[in-house]
């Protein structure tokens, strides 16, 4: 029997590779090929693991706070985010401050060129950051 252009897949157990063996059906070969594809996909999936360094809830809180800050600054300065003067409010820097008064002073210095009253914004921001933690990268354990 015959030639023909048949394609044989090598099964994981090593059989079915030679053209003369009629022990393995083409159905078994396609199942082994599908199994090999699944193994490759699983291997790719394992390589793509993500390590999360920060608590997701803390990151979410921080993002919501930062969006609120941008919105409030837009109202204080009367402009869109793109047109806003160079105002940088560093939440971690505020959290480093010794107390509420020091935090308020830092914010007042940052907003010194704002012509609208900033007291309400500062008070609300200080309330919102209460209880938050600094997002510094975790320390590597020394071995």
């Amino acid at each position: 029997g015959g030639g023909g252009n048949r394609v044989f897949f090598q099964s994981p157990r090593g059989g079915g590779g030679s053209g003369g063996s009629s022990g393995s059906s083409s159905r078994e070969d396609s199942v082994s090929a599908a199994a090999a594809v699944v193994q490759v996909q699983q291997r790719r999936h394992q390589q793509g693991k993500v390590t999360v360094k920060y608590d997701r809830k803390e990151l979410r809180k921080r993002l919501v706070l930062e969006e609120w800050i941008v919105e409030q600054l837009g109202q204080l300065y009367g402009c869109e985010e793109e047109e806003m003067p160079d105002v940088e409010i560093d939440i971690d820097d505020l959290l480093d401050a010794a107390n509420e008064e020091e935090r308020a002073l830092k914010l007042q210095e940052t907003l010194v060129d704002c012509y609208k009253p900033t007291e309400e914004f500062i008070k609300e921001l200080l309330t919102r950051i209460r209880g938050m933690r600094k997002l510094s990268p975790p320390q590597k354990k020394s071995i």
Side-chain angles (χ1 to χ4, degrees):
N5 295 331
R6 287 187 62 191
V7 176
F8 291 92
F9 295 96
Q10 186 171 352
S11 67
R13 54 190 182 276
S18 68
S21 88
S22 57
S24 123
S25 73
S26 62
R27 179 184 164 96
E28 282 176 330
D29 290 338
S30 61
V31 168
S32 333
V37 167
V38 168
Q39 284 176 342
V40 168
Q41 287 174 340
Q42 285 172 340
R43 216 172 288 129
R44 279 193 196 135
H45 180 68
Q46 288 169 352
Q47 290 171 353
K49 285 184 181 174
V50 176
T51 303
V52 179
K53 290 184 177 184
Y54 303 106
D55 178 20
R56 207 173 245 179
K57 278 185 182 175
E58 285 295 316
L59 283 174
R60 186 80 193 126
K61 271 199 253 178
R62 180 68 63 105
L63 182 61
V64 167
L65 178 63
E66 289 179 0
E67 288 171 349
W68 178 83
I69 289 171
V70 169
E71 180 186 311
Q72 294 301 307
L73 289 176
Q75 290 176 11
L76 284 173
Y77 285 94
C79 61
E80 295 297 316
E81 185 177 352
E82 299 79 32
E83 305 157 346
M84 206 174 293
D86 194 21
V87 176
E88 184 179 334
I89 295 177
D90 185 342
I91 296 167
D92 286 332
D93 187 43
L94 290 174
L95 292 172
D96 273 342
N99 53 39
E100 294 266 325
E101 290 77 29
E102 194 177 317
R103 290 176 181 160
L105 280 173
K106 284 183 178 203
L107 286 168
Q108 286 169 355
E109 289 169 14
T110 303
L111 300 170
V112 73
D113 60 345
C114 182
Y115 61 91
K116 290 185 180 176
T118 59
E119 293 79 23
E120 282 301 311
F121 168 72
I122 291 173
K123 198 165 76 173
E124 179 67 23
L125 179 55
L126 293 177
T127 301
R128 287 176 180 243
I129 67 170
R130 213 171 280 141
M132 286 185 102
R133 291 182 304 214
K134 243 180 107 171
L135 284 184
S136 56
Q139 300 300 314
K140 294 193 177 186
K141 294 179 183 174
S142 55
I143 297 170

